[in-house]
Amino acid sequence: MSLREEIDRLLSENRYEELVERALQNQGIIKFLFRFFYHPYGVQRWQAIEGLGRVAEALVQKDPEAVREIIRRLLWSMNDESGTAGWSAPEAIGEIIYRNPELFKDFVPIVINASEEEIFHRGIAWALGRIGQKRPDLVQESIPLLLEFLHHPRAEVRGYAARSLGQIGPAAGQALPGLEQLLDDRTEVEVYEGNQVVTLQVHQLAREAISKITGEAS
């Protein structure tokens, strides 16, 4: 079995602890995870995002600069000059920051600045929620951007923005009117939950967000 095949198997079987162990022995494995970030859809990219987050969480204990370099590479993949489009780079960066927010909080505004590129709106919305569920203070200033995303022409951006506002919680109280406007939105979006991709409707994500923000059962 080749190294690439081994990484594919570890991801597909959610064997993240083994993945982390292998990556700490051979950081070259990280490049195999990066290849998933150039695809906009699919459960494997989500598994790679989680896998990289776990690897970074372990690696930071012995080499924080190596993790910073990983984030820089992800940012570079979002740059036109890179010659590629790292579709899932915002999500990957968000996952890394989520697992060590204090050390990497300086990268939050850099990710947000990528909102000038429409292809990253979905990923930015997801990343803000992921970070915000642990450190709402780090994304508080980005709530207006998520409010704009609630009216986005792409359903997945609307859905992810709604979900993220719910993850931020009571601090996102100003989002309630915008979320209520989505309660009739029956458009379907793919969401990663419990190591699998599930299909939900935007109104479901909005209703759940309202519940989390208000603290009342939906």
Side-chain angles (χ1 to χ4, degrees), residues 48-59:
I49 288 167
E50 181 169 353
L52 181 63
R54 289 173 179 258
V55 169
E57 185 176 29
L59 182 58

Side-chain angles (χ1 to χ4, degrees), residues 75 78 93 97 101 104-116 124 128 131 137-139 141-142 145:
L75 289 170
M78 297 166 63
I93 296 171
I97 297 174
F104 302 120
K105 61 185 179 182
D106 292 344
F107 287 103
V108 175
I110 300 176
V111 174
I112 295 169
N113 285 339
S115 63
E116 295 179 3
I124 292 171
L128 291 175
I131 298 166
D137 58 301
L138 296 184
V139 298
E141 295 182 359
S142 303
L145 178 63

Side-chain angles (χ1 to χ4, degrees), residues 16-166:
Y16 295 114
E17 291 183 6
E18 292 180 53
L19 176 69
V20 170
E21 184 178 348
R22 294 285 284 112
L24 292 180
Q25 296 170 353
N26 176 13
Q27 291 186 29
I29 286 175
I30 293 172
K31 73 178 182 181
F32 289 101
L33 298 177
F34 265 69
R35 64 192 164 93
F36 291 105
F37 303 148
Y38 296 94
H39 300 283
Y41 298 100
V43 68
Q44 282 188 317
R45 82 180 186 96
W46 283 114
Q47 293 166 337
I49 288 167
E50 181 169 353
L52 181 63
R54 289 173 179 258
V55 169
E57 185 176 29
L59 182 58
V60 77
Q61 302 301 320
K62 66 175 186 177
D63 193 352
E65 186 56 33
V67 179
R68 288 184 176 276
E69 183 57 31
I70 291 172
I71 296 176
R72 294 188 190 103
R73 285 177 59 192
L74 289 165
L75 289 170
W76 175 246
S77 75
M78 297 166 63
N79 189 314
D80 286 339
E81 296 179 18
S82 71
T84 56
W87 278 85
S88 302
E91 291 98 323
I93 296 171
E95 183 69 18
I96 292 173
I97 297 174
Y98 163 79
R99 293 177 179 275
N100 204 318
E102 191 59 35
L103 193 58
F104 302 120
K105 61 185 179 182
D106 292 344
F107 287 103
V108 175
I110 300 176
V111 174
I112 295 169
N113 285 339
S115 63
E116 295 179 3
E117 298 292 337
E118 197 270 344
I119 65 169
F120 298 126
H121 287 179
R122 176 191 63 176
I124 292 171
W126 186 91
L128 291 175
R130 184 65 165 155
I131 298 166
Q133 67 185 101
K134 181 176 285 187
R135 288 287 302 274
D137 58 301
L138 296 184
V139 298
Q140 186 81 33
E141 295 182 359
S142 303
I143 290 178
L145 178 63
L146 289 173
L147 294 181
E148 291 182 23
F149 284 171
L150 292 178
H151 306 285
H152 202 280
R154 289 168 56 196
E156 56 190 356
V157 179
R158 298 196 301 274
Y160 280 28
R163 187 171 189 255
S164 292
L165 288 162

Side-chain angles (χ1 to χ4, degrees), residues 149-160 162 178-189 200-207:
F149 284 171
L150 292 178
H151 306 285
H152 202 280
R154 289 168 56 196
E156 56 190 356
V157 179
R158 298 196 301 274
Y160 280 28
L179 289 168
E180 290 171 355
Q181 293 178 17
L182 296 179
L183 294 180
D184 292 323
D185 191 333
R186 265 33 184 191
T187 317
E188 295 183 339
V189 297
L200 297 174
Q201 295 181 348
V202 173
H203 77 91
Q204 293 175 292
L205 295 168
R207 194 175 302 280

